[in-house]
Amino acid sequence: MQSNTDSSAISGTIRRLQSHIVMREASNPNHVNYRYWQLVQEMAKIVQSIGPPKGSSSPIGRLPTEILAQIFLYCIPEDANWTPAPDLAPMQLTAVCRRWREIAVNMPNLWRRLRLEMGHGDWQQRAFCYDSYLKRSRGRQLSLTLECDNNNWTELQILLQPYVDQISSLHVGLFSGAGSFPLVPADFGGLEELAIYTNGFDPAPALDHIEHSITHLPPNMRSLRLLDVWLDFRTSASLNSSSWAGLTNLEVLVVGLVSLPCLLRLCPNLSSLTMIGVFIAAIETSGQLEHTKLQSLRISGVLPMNSALFGLLGLFDDVTLPNLRIVEVSDIGRWVHKEFKALITRSQCPLESLIFGGGVTTTPQQLAEYVTLFPSLKLVIDPTRSLFLE
């Protein structure tokens, strides 16, 4: 029998679901989540029709488990990991009534995304909560965010050990108290995506550990994002080329001499490359390189640093990119029109989008030439746009 208390709790939860769905534009009939929106509306009507229990189960108690399960899945953020909280799904769903708890606890896909915080409060208590949460995933792929503000890596490694082969996405935030980075990506057998960021503080004490840790990558790794972590690619010779060969997306902050052909040789399957930093093009001695997979190239300098005075001179000279479709540049000073035009001409690429952000100097004549070469080109000039700030 469904109690009035349960019905009230369910009604409140549904109102929050309705608000959540409206914000996500599910009212658009063409939206993939439109059916979920319809289900919640149907559920709301059922709740509104509920009267005091009269010896039999209420309509809400007879709502099919399959519909509840679909709605529960929609409550989980699609693109972010959250710290467990009683007022957020999936924990919120377990506190409504016994039936909802049983359904939620037995849905592994509800427990696949998690943010873990190190360095705040009672770690043992949080570790118990995290472990209980992860156990409910029952072998499903996991997406984790680790926010590290101390060096208690041993405790974290003990917690993660049973799940290393489940973790497919790992975001690691290194904050002021984290002076090391002993995690080795190659130990995570199922890892497909790794992002390391510092939230703006100087990560110098941990840099050596990070550079060492990314020398060898797991065999399934496809995306590597090194945000706020400056790397000198003169050390690229130490990187294991076979383990980097599977990457399809690479985002790096670089410093010093950079050889675009060298980087592309290291990652022959790369389809998207973002380079941000203080760099100039290195002299290439290995001859022309054709890279057939690269589709998106995003480059930014850091004005007003001295290296920006060189623009991108020489960066495009030794590569051919026949599949290049998207190019975005910002904060590099004078645009290397002649070199870039030579690149797209010899590549005969299907360029679709060319974006000039802030800190790039071009001329109307140069822009007109690109439109002549690619009549359907999407040309964007946006002085407020900066890759470095994204």
Side-chain angles (χ1 to χ4, degrees), residues 345-360:
T345 299
R346 68 172 173 270
S347 298
Q348 296 185 331
C349 57
L351 192 65
E352 299 171 356
S353 179
L354 180 56
I355 304 169
F356 293 106
V360 183

Side-chain angles (χ1 to χ4, degrees), residues 248-252 258 260-261 263-264 270-276 279 293-300 312 315-316 319-321 323-330 335 340 343-344 347 351 353-356 387:
T248 58
N249 175 62
L250 179 62
E251 300 180 32
V252 290
V258 173
L260 184 57
L263 196 54
L264 294 178
L270 209 59
S271 63
S272 176
L273 172 62
T274 300
M275 292 196 310
I276 303 173
F279 60 88
K293 300 293 183 65
L294 193 69
Q295 298 185 36
S296 173
L297 179 61
R298 306 168 77 210
I299 301 176
S300 175
L312 299 177
L315 193 67
F316 302 134
V319 293
T320 302
L321 306 173
N323 204 25
L324 188 63
R325 299 171 186 271
I326 301 171
V327 175
E328 179 174 356
V329 292
S330 63
W335 175 234
F340 182 70
L343 167 68
I344 57 180
S347 298
L351 192 65
S353 179
L354 180 56
I355 304 169
F356 293 106
L387 295 177

Side-chain angles (χ1 to χ4, degrees), residues 24 27 61 79 125 137 152 163 178 233 245 278 288 302 304 330 339 352 365 367:
R24 293 172 64 170
S27 56
D79 55 358
Q125 181 179 357
S137 67
N152 295 331
Y163 310 103
F233 268 81
V278 183
Q288 192 77 201
V302 183
S330 63
E339 291 85 347
E352 299 171 356
Q365 181 180 353
L367 303 180

